[in-house]
Amino acid sequence: MDGTDRGVITLGFGPEKYKRMATALARSIRLHDPELPLAVVTDDLDHPDLQANFDKLIAMDPAYGTGVQQKLSLDRYSPFGHTVFIDADCLVVRSLEPVFGLLGVVPFGVVGFPVIDGFYWAEVTELMRRFEVPYIGRFNAGVISFHGPEGTAVFETARRYVAEDKLAGLPMYRGAPHDEIPMSAALGHLGLVPIYDDGRIMRAPEPLQSRISIDVANGVGRFKTKNLWVEPAVMHFAYLFHGPGLRGSIYRREVAKLLGEPVPLGLRLRCAASQAIFTLESSTRVRTAWKRSRGSIRRTIKRALRRGP
């Protein structure tokens, strides 16, 4: 496999916000890997921002499913020999060379670990029984590296599980069949395991146990999650960070900066407030006190609102 025959692919279809997110992702990659080819799967091949920031625009095929189910066909979409898929709700804060390097040592590289018990979207023992596998490859599908026939085999196996209705009765994701469940079972079926990255490749700040230090342009990305300080190349701002609330203000600020937009004073203040809250919540003592008192605080606020001025 030629080192030049590689690139990054993402998904940017549906509501405009997802195309905006894909554009911000592309710009974050360009800052650190300006020559790396980028491709986006989209339902709008004429979108000006996508055209300006991606080398290849690939037409989304609705026959491949809705929502995250489209990820099960990444092998069909990718024009690269070695592909790294990155979710559109991610931002890249440093070069992706370590991502290609570490995850690329296996044909299907994801960040995670194999499990034989516990809970991962469903009871792991139930998943093992249902898919007839010796383990489940638990991982976060925000970053997926794949190449060669063995990498393709994971997608093909996952699609076969869906076609055979193996996901019946299992949790769905926003109304669509899950992507991680069939791929994680496919790993067990094919004898592949996720890779532990020590927090260097990709992490989502959830659960968040600290402030979020991030400055995409200057290569800064650090936070604490699951009792580990991590500095991932790819910061995955999953669904909890998409909304208009305080939690999403950090992501929205970085996106605005990447897109060359002014950062309003209100957004700056919300970022400061969110960081203060993150700091407080990182304290076990404060978090415990909040859990004990939040019910009475909320009831007091509701009573005050009912009474009015």
Side-chain angles (χ1 to χ4, degrees):
M1 181 174 56
D2 190 333
T4 60
D5 185 27
R6 64 181 191 175
V8 171
I9 194 169
T10 191
L11 303 177
F13 58 83
E16 178 63 25
K17 76 169 188 175
Y18 294 114
K19 290 147 191 173
R20 177 181 171 85
M21 293 160 75
T23 299
L25 167 64
R27 292 200 176 185
S28 73
I29 296 172
R30 295 290 190 209
L31 286 173
H32 306 290
D33 290 297
E35 303 302 320
L36 188 63
L38 305 181
V40 59
V41 177
T42 181
D43 54 0
D44 186 357
L45 297 178
D46 297 321
H47 194 284
D49 290 336
L50 297 182
Q51 288 184 336
N53 289 279
F54 287 89
D55 301 293
K56 299 177 185 291
L57 274 66
I58 302 167
M60 186 197 78
D61 190 337
Y64 292 165
T66 60
V68 295
Q69 194 176 16
Q70 284 280 323
K71 289 187 188 179
L72 301 183
S73 291
L74 288 172
D75 61 313
R76 294 165 161 171
Y77 284 128
S78 178
F80 309 119
H82 181 183
T83 303
V84 166
F85 164 79
I86 303 179
D87 258 339
D89 57 0
C90 294
L91 295 176
V92 172
V93 299
R94 57 185 61 90
S95 173
L96 292 173
E97 283 297 323
V99 180
F100 279 95
L102 180 60
L103 297 187
V105 300
V106 291
F108 188 93
V110 286
V111 174
F113 44 89
V115 291
I116 58 173
D117 56 20
F119 190 88
Y120 173 57
W121 301 112
E123 291 294 335
V124 170
T125 51
E126 162 59 18
L127 294 177
M128 291 165 57
R129 182 200 62 77
R130 178 184 293 239
F131 294 102
E132 300 178 322
V133 294
Y135 60 85
I136 293 294
R138 178 173 183 156
F139 69 96
N140 182 309
V143 173
I144 302 172
S145 163
F146 59 94
H147 55 80
E150 291 178 278
T152 299
V154 176
F155 293 104
E156 292 174 338
T157 303
R159 291 194 293 266
R160 176 169 58 81
Y161 287 149
V162 174
E164 293 174 350
D165 206 25
K166 291 274 192 179
L167 275 65
L170 291 175
M172 302 183 77
Y173 186 79
R174 297 185 178 179
H178 219 292
D179 57 319
E180 289 181 3
I181 293 175
M183 285 194 283
S184 65
L187 290 176
H189 176 74
L190 296 168
L192 299 170
V193 295
I195 292 176
Y196 180 69
D197 70 338
D198 197 30
R200 293 179 294 126
I201 300 301
M202 182 271 297
R203 282 292 190 279
E206 183 60 35
L208 182 62
Q209 298 171 311
S210 72
R211 294 166 60 92
I212 298 176
S213 297
I214 180 171
D215 184 340
V216 174
N218 290 301
V220 176
R222 187 172 187 264
F223 56 89
K224 185 179 182 181
T225 180
K226 298 179 181 177
N227 299 317
L228 178 70
W229 283 98
V230 296
E231 296 186 43
V234 182
M235 296 183 67
H236 188 184
F237 291 91
Y239 69 98
L240 290 174
F241 290 85
H242 291 179
L246 284 178
R247 182 174 287 268
S249 60
I250 304 293
Y251 173 71
R252 294 198 304 278
R253 180 195 66 193
E254 291 302 307
V255 168
K257 288 161 60 179
L258 284 164
L259 299 183
E261 300 170 353
V263 181
L265 176 60
L267 180 55
R268 295 178 186 273
L269 293 174
R270 294 176 77 85
C271 286
S274 66
Q275 292 285 37
I277 291 171
F278 294 155
T279 301
L280 289 172
E281 289 182 345
S282 68
S283 164
T284 301
R285 183 176 298 176
V286 170
R287 192 164 59 249
T288 300
W290 165 246
K291 286 181 179 179
R292 287 175 178 170
S293 60
R294 61 187 175 187
S296 61
I297 292 174
R298 287 169 178 164
R299 287 191 294 272
T300 301
I301 293 173
K302 287 180 180 179
R303 285 196 297 268
L305 291 173
R306 283 197 297 267
R307 286 197 298 268

